[in-house]
Amino acid sequence: MVFLAKLLPASRSVITALVVTGLMLFSVGKAQAVNIDFDDLNPADLIGDDGYIPLTNQYESLGVLFESGAYLLGYSPKSAPNYVNGPGFSIHFLGVLPTYVSMYVGSNLEHKVGIRAYGVNGYFEDRLTDGEVRGMQWEDSTPYRPNQFISFYMPEGISSINLAGQADTYMDDLTFSVSVPEPSSLLLLFLGMLITYLHRKRLQ
């Protein structure tokens, strides 16, 4: 009985340590992937008296805002039924910035499309799709490929992405990953106190 009485407090301490460690393991390095295929919206709801109404805050709950003429259309060349089309538009991320963003990009007129992703502190990266270039730089044209996969990875976070073509740009299947914050300082402090307590009990 004396042995069991001494064992019970020790086992409780060990179980507590295991629970706290498990919580830390599950909270570190996790990432949440978000996919927007635009098929949840009805293009007919975004047509007004003056024509098409651009996307703005329809996906704000997912941490995304659209600006500068991103129009929702049907008959997607990538994944039916809907996609986003326009001469050029911007995607802004809210809250915790994603570290990875991907999408499928093209042009119904088979033009090149330029994509620029902005990070923090003025950092940016550029991508350019294959396609035709009209005007004085026509010699820079390359054979067009539809639905080109474009991706960016920035460990410090991606704040916005701009897409621009000469007259026509489309995008579909926007996917981004947001890292879950690491455990709080309070949890780390509690773990340190628990380890110190167990060490002192063992020395007694």
Side-chain angles (χ1 to χ4, degrees):
M1 294 296 293
V2 175
F3 174 76
L4 291 177
K6 293 182 178 180
L7 182 61
L8 185 58
S11 63
R12 287 177 178 172
S13 299
V14 172
I15 292 173
T16 303
L18 290 174
V19 169
V20 173
T21 303
L23 288 174
M24 291 188 64
L25 290 175
F26 276 104
S27 59
V28 175
K30 293 289 184 180
Q32 297 177 345
V34 178
N35 176 260
I36 302 176
D37 59 12
F38 307 101
D39 295 340
D40 58 312
L41 299 179
N42 184 356
D45 295 334
L46 293 170
I47 299 178
D49 295 335
D50 297 326
Y52 288 101
I53 301 171
L55 292 175
T56 53
N57 62 350
Q58 286 81 359
Y59 294 101
E60 184 174 4
S61 62
L62 298 178
V64 177
L65 289 178
F66 288 88
E67 290 184 355
S68 305
Y71 298 99
L72 182 72
L73 300 179
Y75 307 104
S76 169
K78 175 59 180 68
S79 62
N82 299 334
Y83 70 116
V84 174
N85 182 273
F89 48 88
S90 301
I91 306 167
H92 297 271
F93 297 99
L94 309 174
V96 180
L97 298 180
T99 56
Y100 172 83
V101 178
S102 69
M103 67 197 76
Y104 288 90
V105 179
S107 166
N108 291 323
L109 298 177
E110 300 189 355
H111 292 162
K112 281 185 180 293
V113 177
I115 308 98
R116 172 170 288 186
Y118 292 90
V120 299
N121 300 322
Y123 179 78
F124 65 87
E125 291 183 8
D126 289 326
R127 303 284 190 270
L128 186 64
T129 66
D130 290 324
E132 181 182 357
V133 178
R134 293 184 178 178
M136 297 180 64
Q137 288 81 29
W138 62 268
E139 65 275 7
D140 295 329
S141 298
T142 56
Y144 176 71
R145 293 185 298 115
N147 306 325
Q148 296 175 59
F149 182 76
I150 302 296
S151 65
F152 296 93
Y153 174 71
M154 298 182 187
E156 72 278 8
I158 300 170
S159 59
S160 65
I161 295 179
N162 292 344
L163 298 90
Q166 286 185 293
D168 168 80
T169 298
Y170 73 74
M171 183 266 293
D172 203 352
D173 291 348
L174 174 66
T175 300
F176 57 96
S177 298
V178 178
S179 297
V180 176
E182 294 183 354
S184 66
S185 300
L186 182 61
L187 181 59
L188 293 175
L189 176 62
F190 175 74
L191 181 61
M193 294 174 61
L194 181 61
I195 292 174
T196 302
Y197 170 77
L198 293 176
H199 180 68
R200 289 180 177 177
K201 291 289 290 184
R202 192 181 65 174
L203 295 179
Q204 289 179 355

